[in-house]
Amino acid sequence: MTDTAETDAVLADWRAKAQEFETRVARVVLGQNRVIRLVTIAIFARGHVLLEGDVGVGKTTLLRAVARALGGAFSRIEGTVDLMPSDLLYHTYLADDGRPRVEPGPVLRHAEDLSIFFFNEINRARPQVHSLLLRLMAERSVTAFDREYSFPALQVFADRNLVEREETFELPAAARDRFLMEISMKTPADAGARRALIFDPRFHDVDRLLDEIGKPVFDYRALGSVAELIQNRVHASETLEAYVAALWDALLDPHAAGVALPNVEMRGLVRGGASPRGLAFLVRAARVRAWLEGRDALTPEDIREIFLETMAHRIFVDPIYAMRGDDIVRDLCRAAFATVPAP
């Protein structure tokens, strides 16, 4: 068997596992098939994820289900205004004998076995905490107790509180840019799924529900090497590369590219964020999407399918228009697709 044939066989085997992963997670997280597909793409692209959605839509259940199906350990922390960076690493307390004790915190508790770390309401934490999280995300390592801990399989998920403004700290541009995707998780649109979530007792006991995931589908420690195989195997044609470059130009200078939005002055609208790293993340995620669809070549549809989730959260517009919220960036992305002809 040739090296290419061996690679194709390995990737086909992992694609079957990825499909099984999605099926198992979908059994316990109803009506969120697109969210599950995007999370799967992020896992195989080895990228961190921002989650956005109302309270109670099932974000924690989704991540606990993902951790069960992946293998490895799941840990979480709640963002609060008085949270300190050290709270991620360890906590101190007085034991029953009255003597102080130091125990590992949510990041160090599982050490190298930590596969999913969920930072709930990240924008309630101060910038000092964001800084430590950025190192953890970028380098997958932290220093504590005079030694360095590494987390080779770690994937960070973070949720932003977008409803309340008091005692919140907006993530700086550099921090948002480190996340591969921002995935919006909403209440299921399917009427049957909505009724089941309300009336079926199966969904009222989350711990018992998660037991239905069964044994892990993956060896999560192998994801890094599989992700590298995917990126090397799925190729982009010169035409596709030119298409992505044209989309980039349209985001950098929408006025020059002929992109228009109603009642918006397009000159100087985009202040930053459509960076080389952002576009590289876009292509990385699109390659995983193509692989999951059984192809070894990128198509415009792969780009379109993950464009909003990979680009919208990292584009920053003139403060006058930023007051409108995230909608204008999403409208800009859609207008760029409508203006730039697809190959």
Side-chain angles (χ1 to χ4, degrees), residues 37-255:
R37 169 50 64 97
L38 291 169
V39 168
T40 306
I41 290 173
I43 287 171
F44 282 94
R46 306 308 299 142
H48 308 293
V49 174
L50 277 171
L51 284 174
E52 182 265 321
D54 290 338
V55 174
V57 294
K59 296 190 290 293
T60 304
T61 301
L62 168 70
L63 296 182
R64 290 181 65 189
V66 166
R68 286 283 185 98
L70 270 181
F74 170 82
S75 189
R76 65 175 288 169
I77 196 168
E78 301 292 332
T80 59
V81 70
D82 58 349
L83 188 73
M84 299 298 291
S86 58
D87 293 330
L88 274 66
L89 304 178
Y90 59 85
H91 68 273
T92 60
Y93 64 100
L94 285 177
D96 293 340
D97 60 5
R99 304 181 65 176
R101 294 282 193 279
V102 180
E103 298 287 346
V107 169
L108 298 186
R109 189 172 302 136
H110 303 286
E112 293 186 359
D113 290 333
L114 185 61
S115 62
I116 300 291
F117 180 65
F118 179 32
F119 202 128
N120 193 31
E121 297 199 357
I122 188 175
N123 56 340
R124 283 203 182 280
R126 291 181 179 276
Q128 299 95 316
V129 181
H130 297 162
S131 296
L132 177 63
L133 186 71
L134 284 182
R135 174 181 170 178
L136 186 64
M137 292 165 58
E139 303 178 17
R140 289 188 165 91
S141 68
V142 293
T143 302
F145 307 118
D146 292 328
R147 59 164 288 197
E148 184 167 293
Y149 293 80
S150 63
F151 307 88
L154 176 64
Q155 197 150 16
V156 173
F157 289 77
D159 163 61
R160 286 191 294 158
N161 184 325
L162 298 179
V163 177
E164 299 166 66
R165 293 297 179 187
E166 292 186 1
E167 294 189 336
T168 61
F169 303 87
E170 188 52 75
L171 282 179
R176 291 172 63 169
D177 195 52
R178 299 299 176 91
F179 287 92
L180 173 75
M181 289 184 178
E182 182 170 44
I183 299 174
S184 178
M185 187 169 179
K186 301 185 182 303
T187 302
D190 177 71
R194 294 160 73 105
R195 283 198 298 271
L197 290 172
I198 298 170
F199 293 104
D200 190 340
R202 175 171 167 258
F203 296 101
H204 299 170
D205 185 336
V206 174
D207 290 333
R208 184 173 296 177
L209 181 67
L210 292 175
D211 286 341
E212 297 180 19
I213 295 287
K215 294 182 179 178
V217 181
F218 302 139
D219 177 0
Y220 66 98
R221 289 158 294 199
L223 285 171
S225 58
V226 176
E228 188 175 347
L229 277 181
I230 294 169
Q231 296 301 314
N232 290 328
R233 191 72 184 91
V234 179
H235 66 273
S237 66
E238 290 187 6
T239 304
L240 195 284
E241 289 181 3
Y243 177 57
V244 173
L247 287 172
W248 190 12
D249 290 340
L251 293 180
L252 289 172
D253 190 348
H255 175 73

Side-chain angles (χ1 to χ4, degrees), residues 34 38 41-42 45 47-50 176-184 244 251 273-275 277-287 289 302-315 329-330 333 337:
R34 174 166 167 74
L38 291 169
I41 290 173
H48 308 293
V49 174
L50 277 171
R176 291 172 63 169
D177 195 52
R178 299 299 176 91
F179 287 92
L180 173 75
M181 289 184 178
E182 182 170 44
I183 299 174
S184 178
V244 173
L251 293 180
S275 64
R277 178 164 57 196
L279 269 294
F281 276 170
L282 168 73
V283 173
R284 189 173 182 85
R287 281 192 167 118
R289 199 265 180 182
D302 296 322
I303 302 295
R304 180 185 291 274
E305 189 65 18
I306 46 82
F307 195 81
L308 284 178
E309 284 79 11
T310 54
M311 295 305 299
H313 69 283
R314 65 180 83 245
I315 294 174
V329 175
R330 292 178 176 273
C333 292
F337 267 107

